[in-house]
Amino acid sequence: MYKVDIGKKILIANEEYARKNSRFLAKRKKLCLNMISSPGSGKTTILIRTISELKDKIKIGVIEGDIQTDIDAERIRAATSAVVQINTNGSCHLSAAQVCGALENLPTDDLDLIFIENVGNLVCPSAFELGEAGKIVVLSVAEGDDKPAKYPSIFAKSKVLLINKIDMLGAGVQVDFDVEKVKADARRLNKDIEIFPVSAKTGEGMSSWYGWLTESVGNLRL
Amino acid sequence: MHETMVAQSLLAAISSEADRQNARPVGAKISCGTFDAINDEILCFAFEAVAKGTGCEGVKLEIEHKPIRCRCRDCDRNFDFELSSPICPECGSEKFELLPDAPLLLETIEFQTEQRNV
């Protein structure tokens, strides 16, 4: 028996595609954000409202990742025609190679911002870089306020935390969710994370999120 | 469940080195950070499944988990992050920053000495 030292990254193939995507986007000065959350946190509803309300300022396209069906792409299509569906057929996350193919099928030159809506899963997608400029994690209040502590990786790696469905907190519904605790736990993992409590349903809090998006897109245009 | 993709990438890396060495691989050591969320049992199971019928069938994986390192912003010490008690063990401060997580690495491969084609 003998041993050979390798010392190589295992996900090198994914990282090479991620770098390719990142170069493609940087060359065209397009902002790309990778949206990650549990299933049912409201990613698609947030996107539809964001695309519609910012349509005069920012042209947004979407790469929609789901295990199966194009239900979400159809919903997004009501707000923008620039949407590409990826079906992972069982895989729990999007890979950079899949995103590379999807970018070729989007009218990228006509867009300012591309959202990647990842497969609903709070663990696996955070381990795969896609070439995005930043990750957006969505946590809805119905999921509980212990999630940053239980799933630290995605909160540590994200630029923005959207706390969604805050309309439920004041609606007389019994939801045990302490917004301040979530903010403190998330900032313990990631001191620079931007946090916006929102309701994509009522529109509450969305203007601060739009402000961050508009500024981020503006910085790229410079 | 992302362990399946890790297993496939690992198989490609070990197979390519086995071709270069023209030898039969029997073991591989990998290391990962805490945020890679690798479950040993699932990764070994996934690797066994993808390696079946290839030259890497039977390769035993050894997986080392590396802790997340932190730097205290009050006393400037580095320490391992513990989720159950997220404070600096030296000064008790809650003000610290997480350092980059350890990468997912293929560290070493162990080969049989006899050439595989003989």
Side-chain angles (χ1 to χ4, degrees):
Chain A
M1 302 271 208
Y2 65 101
K3 259 186 197 170
V4 177
D5 285 331
I6 307 289
K8 272 189 194 155
K9 287 189 175 181
I10 294 172
L11 295 175
I12 189 88
N14 188 71
E15 284 179 24
E16 278 166 10
Y17 271 107
R19 272 196 295 274
K20 185 180 169 191
N21 294 345
S22 175
R23 278 196 302 267
F24 175 92
L25 293 157
K27 199 172 154 192
R28 289 162 181 79
K29 295 193 171 187
K30 308 297 179 188
L31 183 66
C32 179
L33 299 169
N34 181 4
M35 200 175 233
I36 296 175
S37 80
S38 308
S41 68
K43 292 186 294 302
T44 311
T45 307
I46 289 171
L47 287 179
I48 292 169
R49 189 163 194 130
T50 303
I51 294 164
S52 306
E53 296 195 333
L54 288 178
K55 69 173 186 294
D56 296 332
K57 280 187 181 170
I58 305 175
K59 299 292 174 216
I60 302 176
V62 179
I63 296 173
E64 188 57 56
D66 280 293
I67 291 180
Q68 269 164 10
T69 79
D70 61 350
I71 293 172
D72 281 359
E74 279 306 312
R75 285 178 63 199
I76 299 278
R77 212 159 269 137
T80 176
S81 59
V83 53
V84 173
Q85 176 80 52
I86 299 172
N87 279 143
T88 64
N89 296 317
S91 179
C92 50
H93 61 272
L94 288 175
S95 71
Q98 287 169 322
V99 168
C100 184
L103 281 172
E104 286 168 13
N105 291 317
L106 270 181
T108 316
D109 291 336
D110 304 334
L111 303 171
D112 304 305
L113 165 62
I114 296 154
F115 276 109
I116 302 168
E117 186 180 339
N118 219 309
V119 177
N121 180 323
L122 215 46
V123 183
C124 310
S126 75
F128 294 86
E129 295 297 324
L130 303 177
E132 73 272 17
K135 293 179 178 61
I136 310 292
V137 57
V138 182
L139 173 66
S140 68
V141 301
E143 295 165 56
D145 55 19
D146 55 359
K147 294 302 169 286
K150 287 175 79 173
Y151 300 86
S153 172
I154 185 57
F155 294 91
K157 290 179 180 177
S158 290
K159 275 209 164 117
V160 171
L161 161 60
L162 293 175
I163 302 175
N164 193 26
K165 308 191 187 180
I166 55 165
D167 52 298
M168 288 174 78
L169 295 175
V173 185
Q174 188 62 44
V175 180
D176 295 322
F177 190 96
D178 182 342
V179 174
E180 294 311 313
K181 172 182 155 55
V182 167
K183 285 183 177 174
D185 284 357
R187 291 205 170 109
R188 188 172 292 139
L189 293 162
N190 180 347
K191 66 180 168 35
D192 299 320
I193 195 167
E194 299 272 359
I195 304 175
F196 304 113
V198 300
S199 166
K201 193 172 175 183
T202 66
E204 187 182 350
M206 293 293 278
S207 59
S208 305
W209 157 240
Y210 297 156
W212 184 87
L213 276 179
T214 310
E215 195 188 327
S216 302
V217 168
N219 288 343
L220 265 189
R221 280 179 184 149
L222 294 177
Chain B
M1 218 178 94
H2 60 299
E3 283 88 348
T4 313
M5 187 162 169
V6 175
Q8 284 164 342
S9 306
L10 194 54
L11 177 66
I14 299 174
S15 301
S16 134
E17 184 62 26
D19 287 346
R20 208 179 350 255
Q21 298 282 336
N22 193 26
R24 183 177 169 73
V26 290
K29 191 183 166 206
I30 74 171
S31 63
C32 59
T34 308
F35 288 163
D36 290 318
I38 295 292
N39 178 297
D40 293 6
E41 203 181 336
I42 296 175
L43 180 59
C44 291
F45 178 77
F47 185 80
E48 205 181 304
V50 297
K52 199 167 184 189
T54 74
C56 292
E57 189 168 344
V59 168
K60 292 278 168 262
L61 301 183
E62 185 191 335
I63 303 159
E64 183 195 353
H65 292 261
K66 298 197 169 164
I68 307 168
R69 299 287 290 165
C70 299
R71 182 183 297 118
C72 179
R73 275 186 265 158
D74 283 333
C75 74
D76 218 28
R77 294 251 163 88
N78 287 359
F79 61 96
D80 292 351
F81 179 68
E82 292 287 345
L83 262 178
S84 53
S85 131
I87 51 165
C88 171
E90 286 296 329
C91 72
S93 169
E94 288 191 3
K95 290 180 190 148
F96 56 83
E97 55 194 292
L98 269 59
L99 300 172
D101 200 21
L104 183 54
L105 283 185
L106 171 56
E107 302 264 12
T108 58
I109 307 174
E110 202 170 348
F111 291 99
Q112 267 181 0
T113 315
E114 306 81 46
Q115 287 200 334
R116 61 179 172 181
N117 293 336
V118 176

